[in-house]
Amino acid sequence: MIDILNLDYGELENFVVKELKAPKFRTKQIWQWLWQKGVCDFDEMTNLAKKLRDELKNKAVLTHPQVDVVQTSKDGTIKLLLRLADGALVETVLIPMESRYTQCLSTQVGCAMGCTFCNTGLMGFERNMTMSEILGQVLAGRKYLQDNNLNPLKNLVFMGMGEPLLNLDNLIKSLKTLNNPEGLSFVPRRITVSSVGFIKPLEILGETGLTLPAISLHAPTQELREKIMPKAAKTHIDDLLAAMDKFPLKPRERVTYEYLLLGGVNDSIEHARQLVRILGHRKCKVNLIAYNPGDRPLYEAPAREKVLAFEKYLWDKKITATIRRSMGQDIKAACGQLKADRLDS
Ligand code: SF4
């Protein structure tokens, strides 16, 4: 049995023609049912003949992730705990932004990178998610918003559980499917992929032209990066920055470097000065995030005045910097807090 949501458009066309022995034009109809309308059952594909629907049922499965737990934060952030077909649990987060929502997506069950500030890292790595599972989060998130008469889903960020570039094939397949105008229709500027950065996968991603990743830098020197994200730092900071210098940019695009401020670790003006030293001459901007300690802190939160002083220092040195507003802390939906542990949620 084939997982139909795991087929890209070309693969679906092959399946329609070769396995279902149906005319090619059925591909578009099935694709629209799957991705535009988000049906959960082949019988809902009412413009297909019953014979074709039966044929689909015999040869394919159509499974959406099951929403196990929904938690809503006092700031309106919604966290969905999703159960995948094999029972694995992942989390996805819907973040309210004015008249729309942004969804934070996971790409792996757990994560192998073990960044010292991240709860997902503590889980260890279980497995990669398929395209069906990655985009199943979008189908589940969009449906939840529609069913509850909430604002529409407009933006996606790959910043949930897992390191997207370590699941590159499924990431690329997912990005292509997201772009399809007959399906979910998310244009690249509405999608952000966040990565700690690996040279070869960055090169491959650059060649696809599908997205400009945001790089989780989090330290201004190789030495400090090795301390707080030891596995990611196996890619030397100089090589990582050089790889991003070569990344193909569209006019007016700039690389985003994410910098998580950890209290007393990387949040001083000296660190800001070191950051300017490596980024000052580069076409980039910096996204500052204040660490969320939660109830089992791995680090201390940075003092508010230090965050503001850090931002100001970057602006004074002509680096565009923004402080990302942290959402959903009370339901552990904020950056670095996703864990998919039902008992712990
Ligand atoms: Fe993995 Fe990202 Fe967490 Fe690092 S920050 S452990 S790469 S999920």
Side-chain angles (χ1 to χ4, degrees), residues 73-115:
S73 158
K74 54 182 188 286
D75 64 24
T77 301
I78 301 157
K79 183 167 81 170
L80 306 180
L81 178 68
L82 301 178
R83 186 175 293 274
L84 307 178
D86 66 351
L89 296 171
V90 292
E91 291 182 324
T92 183
V93 182
L94 296 158
I95 306 151
M97 307 259 180
E98 291 162 11
S99 58
R100 63 200 153 77
Y101 276 81
T102 293
Q103 185 173 12
C104 180
L105 301 172
S106 297
T107 49
Q108 298 181 313
V109 182
C111 183
M113 296 310 291
C115 301

Side-chain angles (χ1 to χ4, degrees), residues 65-240:
Q66 180 191 316
V67 181
D68 247 25
V69 180
V70 178
Q71 288 176 282
T72 305
S73 158
K74 54 182 188 286
D75 64 24
T77 301
I78 301 157
K79 183 167 81 170
L80 306 180
L81 178 68
L82 301 178
R83 186 175 293 274
L84 307 178
D86 66 351
L89 296 171
V90 292
E91 291 182 324
T92 183
V93 182
L94 296 158
I95 306 151
M97 307 259 180
E98 291 162 11
S99 58
R100 63 200 153 77
Y101 276 81
T102 293
Q103 185 173 12
C104 180
L105 301 172
S106 297
T107 49
Q108 298 181 313
V109 182
C111 183
M113 296 310 291
C115 301
T116 57
F117 46 78
C118 172
N119 276 311
T120 309
L122 293 178
M123 280 175 71
F125 175 71
E126 282 183 36
R127 65 171 178 85
N128 279 332
M129 290 168 70
T130 63
M131 174 178 88
S132 165
E133 293 168 335
I134 294 171
L135 298 186
Q137 298 170 89
V138 183
L139 296 175
R142 187 180 64 175
K143 184 168 184 317
Y144 183 86
L145 295 175
Q146 282 166 355
D147 290 352
N148 291 280
N149 291 320
L150 294 167
N151 285 329
L153 180 60
K154 289 282 184 198
N155 295 80
L156 301 173
V157 291
F158 286 80
M159 293 183 188
M161 296 165 62
E163 163 49 56
L165 294 198
L166 292 183
N167 187 9
L168 191 63
D169 291 348
N170 288 314
L171 174 73
I172 290 175
K173 201 170 168 183
S174 300
L175 292 172
K176 284 184 185 157
T177 296
L178 282 167
N179 284 349
N180 188 308
E182 301 293 342
L184 288 164
S185 195
F186 279 87
V187 291
R189 72 184 152 74
R190 287 167 50 201
I191 301 173
T192 304
V193 174
S194 177
S195 170
V196 298
F198 301 92
I199 308 302
K200 191 65 197 167
L202 282 171
E203 260 174 51
I204 297 170
L205 198 59
E207 280 162 18
T208 68
L210 286 166
T211 189
L212 166 61
I215 299 297
S216 301
L217 197 62
H218 305 330
T221 61
Q222 174 63 16
E223 199 189 6
L224 185 52
R225 207 161 183 259
E226 277 169 13
K227 276 196 191 129
I228 62 174
M229 39 201 311
K231 290 192 185 159
K234 289 198 172 129
T235 302
H236 195 282
I237 196 166
D238 295 344
D239 297 334
L240 177 58

Side-chain angles (χ1 to χ4, degrees), residues 1-7 33-35 38-42 44-45 56-57 59-67 82-88 127 129-140 143:
M1 293 287 258
I2 202 128
D3 177 355
I4 199 159
L5 289 175
N6 218 18
L7 302 180
W33 283 112
L34 293 174
W35 298 112
V39 297
C40 308
D41 192 322
F42 292 121
E44 292 178 70
M45 300 183 174
L56 274 165
K57 278 189 255 178
K59 296 199 164 138
V61 287
L62 169 51
T63 329
H64 287 193
Q66 180 191 316
V67 181
L82 301 178
R83 186 175 293 274
L84 307 178
D86 66 351
R127 65 171 178 85
M129 290 168 70
T130 63
M131 174 178 88
S132 165
E133 293 168 335
I134 294 171
L135 298 186
Q137 298 170 89
V138 183
L139 296 175
K143 184 168 184 317

